Amino acid sequence: MSSLVFFCGHAGTGKTTLAKQLLGPLMKASGAPFCLLDKDTLYGGYSAAAMSMLTGDPNDRDSPLFLQHLREPEYRGLIDTARDNLELGVSVLVVGPLSREVRERRLFDHTWLGVAPDVKLRVVWVHTSEDVARQRIVARANPNDAYKLAHWEDYRQRRFVPSGASRDGLLMFDNTAPNPAHYDALVARIMAG
């Protein structure tokens, strides 16, 4: 059985680092191949070119224009690429904020995702405090974060911590200061029945 594992959360929480850390252990635990699909790696260059043409700012990834016109096609392409791999028998780790999809429970919906009913779905919500996330964003000095930092109050309004029904089924992972035991426990939870 193939697995589709989402690593979701806000900027600066360490989603990509965590997914890369767990790729090998998940392959070992499952005995199956996995691939890693990171939204920024897949679509960063394309979005930079499109936003440069539209606004003159290739690093604009959070403005209303980007969110209205490019967000959905990026995410749909990410999920379509995951589906192609699953159909080939390769399990997939998908990395992206996907906060709207988490709130709307779409990542648990085989039909919405367009994947076979026997694909095992897991959604990891990677989180840390807003202060730690902001410090990490500043420290990594990625030009793609410039809009977030310049409009932090607006950006922080979009940040949320899943609660109530939106938290059901999520594998919550505090990525503030994880150690090997935390990673092992998360692998076990991802692999669980």
Side-chain angles (χ1 to χ4, degrees):
M1 174 191 323
S2 297
S3 296
L4 176 54
V5 184
F6 292 96
F7 287 82
C8 309
H10 300 295
T13 57
K15 300 177 297 293
T16 302
T17 302
L18 178 62
K20 288 178 178 179
Q21 176 73 33
L22 298 187
L23 183 67
L26 284 168
M27 287 194 293
K28 183 176 180 183
S30 68
F34 273 80
C35 72
L36 174 71
L37 301 177
D38 182 302
K39 182 184 82 69
D40 291 338
T41 302
L42 287 171
Y43 295 102
Y46 172 81
S47 294
M51 291 309 291
S52 184
M53 186 176 66
L54 292 170
T55 68
D57 182 0
N59 302 311
D60 173 359
R61 306 292 165 82
D62 286 284
S63 70
L65 180 74
F66 176 87
L67 296 173
Q68 181 179 358
H69 296 288
L70 291 178
R71 181 193 186 278
E72 293 302 321
E74 279 191 2
Y75 284 140
R76 181 45 53 196
L78 184 65
I79 291 168
D80 290 347
T81 304
R83 185 177 51 251
D84 286 348
N85 280 275
L86 291 164
E87 289 171 354
L88 295 169
V90 177
S91 291
V92 183
L93 305 184
V94 172
V95 180
L98 294 155
S99 55
R100 184 182 312 162
E101 291 74 12
V102 167
R103 274 195 300 263
E104 296 173 359
R105 311 285 302 154
R106 293 178 179 176
L107 303 183
F108 295 98
D109 183 344
H110 287 82
T111 302
W112 185 85
L113 293 166
V115 299
D118 64 341
V119 170
K120 181 165 65 170
L121 301 176
R122 294 290 183 265
V123 183
V124 179
W125 183 262
V126 185
H127 61 93
T128 190
S129 72
E130 179 183 330
D131 290 340
V132 168
R134 191 172 197 287
Q135 289 169 9
R136 288 178 179 173
I137 290 168
V138 169
R140 70 187 180 193
N142 185 326
N144 295 336
D145 294 321
Y147 190 94
K148 278 183 202 72
L149 292 171
H151 301 87
W152 188 257
E153 286 305 310
D154 291 334
Y155 172 71
R156 69 186 299 268
Q157 297 304 313
R158 296 198 324 259
R159 286 178 53 93
F160 81 107
V161 176
S163 62
S166 70
R167 192 171 176 146
D168 291 347
L170 290 178
L171 304 178
M172 302 295 289
F173 189 80
D174 183 345
N175 204 23
T176 303
N179 63 43
H182 295 130
Y183 296 136
D184 292 345
L186 181 55
V187 168
R189 290 173 69 201
I190 290 170
M191 294 305 302

